[in-house]
Amino acid sequence: MKIEVAKSKSRWFTASGIGLGIGLVAMVISLITLGSPLRLGLDFTGGTLLQLQFPKAIPDIAKVRAEVAEAGYPNSVVQQIGNDTIAVRTRPLSQPERSKLQNDLKADLGNFQLERIESVGPTLGQELLFNGLLSLALALAAILVYLAFRFQLDYAVCAAVAMFHNVIATMGVFAILGLLFGIEVDTLFVVAILTIVGFSVQDTVVVFDRVRENLKFLSRKKPFPDIVNDSVNQTWVRSVNNNIAALLVLLPLSIFGGESIRYFALALIIGFVVGTYSSIFIAAALLVWWRERKPASAAGAGAAKAER
Amino acid sequence: MRQRTLLLLLVAVVIVGSILIVATRPTVLGLDLQGGSQLTLLAKPTDKVKTINQEVMKGVAAVVEQRVNGLGVSEAVVQLKGSDQILVQLPGVKDPTQAERLLGDTAQLEFRKEAPNGEFEKTDLTGADLTNAFPQALQSGNGWEVALEFTGPGGEKFARITRELAGTGRRLGVFLDEEAISTPTVGVEFVDRGITGGKAVITGNFSAQEASELGIKLKAGALPVPVEIIENRTVSATLGADSVRQSLYTGIAGTLLVFIFMVAYYRLPGLIADMALIIYGLSTFAIFKLIPVTLTLPGIAGFILSIGMAVDANVLIFERTKEELRAGKQLFTAVEAGFSRAFTSIFDSHATSLISCAVLFWLGTGLVKGFALTLAIGLIVNLFTSVTCSRTFLLTILNFPALRKPALFGVSDVPAKAVRP
C-alpha cells in the first residue's frame, strides 16, 4: 500500500482542522458551562470521595442520593461502581464532617465497608493543577530543545506542531467526554498527556530520521516532496505496528483496569492513535508545506545542511 | 563469533540473576495496592508563629512522628514535603479516621487557674512539662481518665498552682486546645504544700479510645502550630488486593496479545522479539525489586505500557531488515543493516520519552513519580534487551542453515540473488 502525503496535504490539514475545531469548540463550551476547558476531577478542584462497598444488596442509587442530600450535601455526585460499590463525591469534608456523613449513611443504608477515601483540600487541588500544567509546559519545552538540537529548526517546529496537534486532540476528546458523560480529568490525565507527547514525538522522529537519511543519498535525484513521501512510506508500517503493540496492552487496561486506570488508558489510546496518524500525515506534510514556501534552491541548501 | 558467545553468556547471567532476584526479594507495594492511608498535613501560621520555617516544620514532624508511633502502625513513614507540608504514610492502618483525629489536633495542653472574677488565667504549666500521659480506668470502673506525670520543674509548678488554689473554691482548669476539658477544685488539705509528687489525672467522661488518643497526643507533645489535613488517600486492603489481581490479569492479557501479534507479523524475528520481551519483563521487574521501587497502580500501568512500547525498537529493526532483504541484500547483511540503521531512530525516540519521564519524576507527586520511574527504568532496560539481546539471538540463530530463509522473516518477494546461501 502506497500512501500519498505530499500531494494531498490539504486533505489531511482539513481533516485535522475539523477534528481539532470540534475539540476546541467542546473546550469552549466546557469553559463557559463548567468554568474550565475540561471537567476537572477531585484532584484539581478539591473534594471528598467515599467508596462504599455493600456486603449484601446494594441500596437504590436514588435513595443514596436522597440520603446524601439530606445529610447536607445536595450537590454531590453519587455513582454505582461495579456490582456492589457506590461512590459518593462531595465538596472537601473535614474529618468530623466526613465521620458524621459516614455514620448517617450507615444508619440509613445499612452497614458497608469503606473501600476508599480520597480527600483533597481546595488549596492542594490548585497546587496539583499548577504542578500538572507546569510539568506539561516544561516537558514540551525540553522536547522542543532536544528536537532543535538533533534536527534542523524547521524539522523541530513541524514535530512540535504535530505534538500540540496530538495534545489538543486528546484534550478535545476528553472535553467532549466530560460534557456528555461527566468524565473528569485528574493527575493521571496529565501523566497520560506527557506520555502521549513522548510517544508521538517518537513516531515523528522516526519519520524525520528517515527523511534526513534519504536526503543524503537522494537529494540530487528527487525533489523534496517525493523524498518525504518515500520516507513516510518506508516508515508507516513501523509506526502502525508499534501503535498496535501499545494498543494491545492498553485495551485490557482500559476494559478491566479499574476506575482510576481506565480513563488513563483511554486517554493513552486516543493520544497514541492520533499521534500515529499525525506522524504519518501531519508532521511530514507540514515539512513539505514549509519547504515548498521557499524557492527550490533554498530547500536544496537546507537539505544539504540537514545532513551534518 | 567470540564476542557473540560472550554476549550470550552475559544474557544468560542477566536471566539467571533476574530470576534469583525476582524469586527471593520482596515486592514493595504502594499504599494503593497493599491498603493504607496517605495523609498530607499542612502547617498553618498563627499569631505567635507567623512564618513557617524549617525549624518549625522539624518540630511539627517530630510531634507527628511520635503520634504515629502511638498508633502502632509498622513501617509508617513521616516526611517533610515542600516548605510547609508533611506526608504521612500509614500502611495497613485499621482505623484511618482515628489516625486523622490523632494527627490533626494541636493538643495544646494548659493548666489555668480560676481568678476571683471567674475567668481562667494562664499559668506557666503546659503540656511541655509532661514526661508521660496514659489512660487508666476510673476507680469506679465506669469510664476512663488520663494520668499525667510531670517533669521535676513541672511537678513544682503544679504544686505551686494547686497550693494557691487549695481551699479557695476557685477551680483548676485543664484546657486542651483552648477548651476546658476538666475543671476540678483542689481540696483544702493541700493548702500547705499543694499537690506534690508530680502526678495528676484528667477526668472528663472519656471512653477507653478517647482516653488512649488523648494520652498519645499529650505524650507526643503539642504541635507548635496547628495543622490541617489537606489530603487523605485511603484504600482498604481488599480493594488493594483487587487492584493487584486486576493489574496482573490485564498485564498478562496484554503481554500475550503482543506476543501473538509479533509472531504472527514478523515470524522468526517476532519470536526473537518475544524472547527479548520476556528478558525485558524479567530484568525490569528484578530492578524494581532491587532498588526497590515502590509499585503503585499507575506504576504497574506504566510497566504494562512499557511492555507494549518495548517491542518498538524491534519493530523498527525488523521493518528495516525486511526492507534490506527486499532491496536484495544477503540475510546476514540485511539483519546487521537493520540493527545499525535503526539505532539512531531508537536512540532519539527513547531520549524524548526519557525527557517526559524526567520532568514527571521531578515535578510529580507520589503516584506520578512511580509511573515515571517505572517507565524510565523500562526504557533503559529496553535499549539493552531489544537491541543487544535480540541482535545476538538473531545472529546466533542464523548459524543454522535451515533457518536462513527470508520467508521466515516475513518477506516473500525477495530478489533471486538474496536466496543464494
Side-chain angles (χ1 to χ4, degrees), chain B residues 332-347:
Chain B
F332 261 111
T333 337
V335 169
E336 280 292 9
F339 276 93
S340 65
R341 290 213 171 168
F343 190 76
T344 358
S345 299
I346 295 171
F347 185 83

Side-chain angles (χ1 to χ4, degrees), chain B residues 38-317:
Chain B
Q38 173 167 312
L39 307 171
T40 308
L41 314 179
L42 174 74
K44 301 203 298 196
T46 59
D47 290 343
K48 268 201 270 175
V49 186
K50 287 210 173 62
T51 49
I52 304 289
N53 55 27
Q54 214 45 28
E55 211 53 41
V56 175
M57 286 313 287
K58 274 185 194 154
V60 176
V63 174
V64 168
E65 196 145 8
Q66 287 236 355
R67 291 186 187 177
V68 166
N69 289 342
L71 272 173
V73 174
S74 58
E75 291 173 49
V77 174
V78 176
Q79 66 189 46
L80 292 174
K81 180 183 151 195
S83 59
D84 56 359
Q85 294 179 3
I86 290 181
L87 184 77
V88 180
Q89 291 185 318
L90 305 167
V93 63
K94 289 280 170 343
D95 185 352
T97 312
Q98 182 202 16
E100 270 179 285
R101 272 203 306 270
L102 263 177
L103 298 182
D105 279 345
T106 44
Q108 186 80 52
L109 180 72
E110 283 173 344
F111 290 86
R112 299 186 185 176
K113 51 186 184 189
E114 194 177 18
N117 62 8
E119 279 182 22
F120 282 97
E121 295 172 340
K122 290 196 178 191
T123 66
D124 53 356
L125 183 62
T126 67
D129 293 305
L130 293 176
T131 54
N132 203 359
F134 50 90
Q136 62 187 29
L138 283 176
Q139 280 179 345
S140 66
N142 216 350
W144 290 77
E145 61 188 10
V146 180
L148 306 176
E149 288 173 11
F150 295 110
T151 58
E156 283 163 27
K157 287 181 202 167
F158 187 63
R160 197 189 67 233
I161 294 165
T162 46
R163 193 178 63 226
E164 283 172 29
L165 292 174
T168 61
R170 285 183 281 136
R171 290 169 298 170
L172 173 72
V174 183
F175 281 72
L176 188 68
D177 292 335
E178 302 289 318
E179 203 181 316
I181 50 171
S182 86
T183 50
T185 49
V186 183
V188 71
E189 64 270 30
F190 297 112
V191 75
D192 288 338
R193 300 169 57 197
I195 302 175
T196 53
K199 282 183 183 156
V201 291
I202 311 175
T203 53
N205 253 340
F206 298 124
S207 69
Q209 193 184 21
E210 284 165 347
S212 133
E213 284 178 17
L214 183 55
I216 293 172
K217 282 188 230 168
L218 292 179
K219 193 155 68 176
L223 290 166
V225 288
V227 296
E228 185 193 344
I229 298 178
I230 54 167
E231 187 183 22
N232 175 351
R233 293 184 196 265
T234 299
V235 169
S236 74
T238 28
L239 186 62
D242 277 355
S243 300
V244 172
R245 205 170 320 118
Q246 246 168 11
S247 331
L248 201 66
Y249 291 158
T250 52
I252 290 173
T255 312
L256 279 180
L257 289 174
V258 173
F259 269 39
I260 294 167
F261 170 69
M262 288 302 284
V263 174
Y265 197 92
Y266 290 105
R267 310 297 165 81
L268 184 64
L271 198 65
I272 303 278
D274 286 350
M275 283 166 63
L277 199 58
I278 294 174
I279 301 174
Y280 165 78
L282 203 61
S283 49
T284 310
F285 196 42
I287 292 178
F288 289 169
K289 287 189 166 202
L290 208 59
I291 291 183
V293 177
T294 305
L295 281 181
T296 59
L297 201 50
I300 292 184
F303 182 44
I304 293 175
L305 177 62
S306 78
I307 290 174
M309 291 162 86
V311 293
D312 177 38
N314 284 127
V315 168
L316 257 170
I317 293 164

Side-chain angles (χ1 to χ4, degrees), chain A residues 98 121 150 210 213 238, chain B residues 100 230 312 320 323 348:
Chain A
R98 202 189 67 223
R150 286 287 292 164
R210 197 55 180 257
E213 186 186 322
R238 169 263 158 203
Chain B
E100 270 179 285
I230 54 167
D312 177 38
R320 198 59 194 244
E323 248 180 74
D348 274 338

Side-chain angles (χ1 to χ4, degrees), chain A residues 42-43 51 53 94-95 98-99 102 113-124 127-128 131 134-136 138-139 142-143 146-147 150-151 187-188 190-192 194-195 197-199 201-203 205-206 209-210 212-213 217 234-235 237-242 244-246 248-250 252-253 256-261 264 268 272, chain B residues 32 40 42 81 85 96-97 100-101 228-236 238-239 242-243 246-247 249-251 253-255 257-258 261-262 265-266 297-298 301-302 304-309 311-313 315-316 319-320 323-324 341-342 344-353 355-356 359-360 362-365 367-368 371 375 379:
Chain A
L42 177 148
D43 273 355
Q51 205 165 302
Q53 195 220 353
S94 69
Q95 176 263 316
R98 202 189 67 223
S99 295
Q102 278 166 228
Q113 294 283 323
L114 196 54
E115 285 274 87
R116 181 199 294 276
I117 306 169
E118 228 162 275
S119 195
V120 173
T123 355
L124 182 72
E127 193 185 311
L128 288 174
N131 266 349
L134 181 65
S135 49
L136 200 56
L138 272 179
I143 289 175
Y146 179 81
L147 288 172
R150 286 287 292 164
F151 293 95
T187 335
L188 278 183
V190 178
V191 176
L194 282 176
T195 315
V197 165
F199 186 84
V201 166
Q202 279 189 13
D203 276 358
V205 162
V206 170
D209 236 18
R210 197 55 180 257
R212 197 164 55 174
E213 186 186 322
F217 303 110
Q234 285 159 346
T235 48
V237 175
R238 169 263 158 203
S239 295
V240 170
N241 281 355
N242 187 29
I244 289 174
L248 287 177
V249 294
L250 284 174
L253 270 182
F256 307 110
E259 280 308 298
S260 51
I261 294 297
F264 175 62
L268 288 174
F272 284 9
Chain B
D32 57 341
T40 308
L42 174 74
K81 180 183 151 195
Q85 294 179 3
T97 312
E100 270 179 285
R101 272 203 306 270
E228 185 193 344
I229 298 178
I230 54 167
E231 187 183 22
N232 175 351
R233 293 184 196 265
T234 299
V235 169
S236 74
T238 28
L239 186 62
D242 277 355
S243 300
Q246 246 168 11
S247 331
Y249 291 158
T250 52
T255 312
L257 289 174
V258 173
F261 170 69
M262 288 302 284
Y265 197 92
Y266 290 105
L297 201 50
I304 293 175
L305 177 62
S306 78
I307 290 174
M309 291 162 86
V311 293
D312 177 38
V315 168
L316 257 170
E319 282 300 327
R320 198 59 194 244
E323 248 180 74
E324 302 287 333
R341 290 213 171 168
T344 358
S345 299
I346 295 171
F347 185 83
D348 274 338
S349 61
H350 276 69
T352 49
S353 280
I355 291 174
S356 305
V359 171
L360 276 177
W362 180 37
L363 284 176
T365 50
L367 291 178
V368 175
F371 173 85
L375 193 58
L379 285 166

Side-chain angles (χ1 to χ4, degrees), chain A residues 16 162-163 165-166 200 204 273-284:
Chain A
S16 281
M163 183 164 88
H165 170 275
N166 305 334
S200 59
T204 310
V273 171
V274 174
T276 303
Y277 155 81
S278 76
S279 74
I280 297 172
F281 297 106
I282 297 301

Side-chain angles (χ1 to χ4, degrees), chain A residues 210-225:
Chain A
R210 197 55 180 257
V211 172
R212 197 164 55 174
E213 186 186 322
N214 286 340
L215 273 177
K216 270 188 220 168
F217 303 110
L218 300 170
S219 60
R220 302 247 156 99
K221 294 185 210 147
K222 276 191 174 179
F224 188 70

Side-chain angles (χ1 to χ4, degrees), chain A residues 72-135:
Chain A
Y73 309 104
N75 295 323
S76 308
V77 182
V78 178
Q79 279 175 314
Q80 182 169 349
I81 301 174
N83 300 324
D84 57 356
T85 308
I86 285 182
V88 178
R89 262 274 312 271
T90 63
R91 64 170 175 80
L93 301 184
S94 69
Q95 176 263 316
E97 286 175 318
R98 202 189 67 223
S99 295
K100 186 170 174 303
L101 175 61
Q102 278 166 228
N103 292 337
D104 286 1
L105 291 180
K106 253 186 192 151
D108 294 324
L109 303 172
N111 205 14
F112 54 76
Q113 294 283 323
L114 196 54
E115 285 274 87
R116 181 199 294 276
I117 306 169
E118 228 162 275
S119 195
V120 173
T123 355
L124 182 72
Q126 279 172 8
E127 193 185 311
L128 288 174
L129 183 60
F130 175 77
N131 266 349
L133 294 176
L134 181 65
S135 49

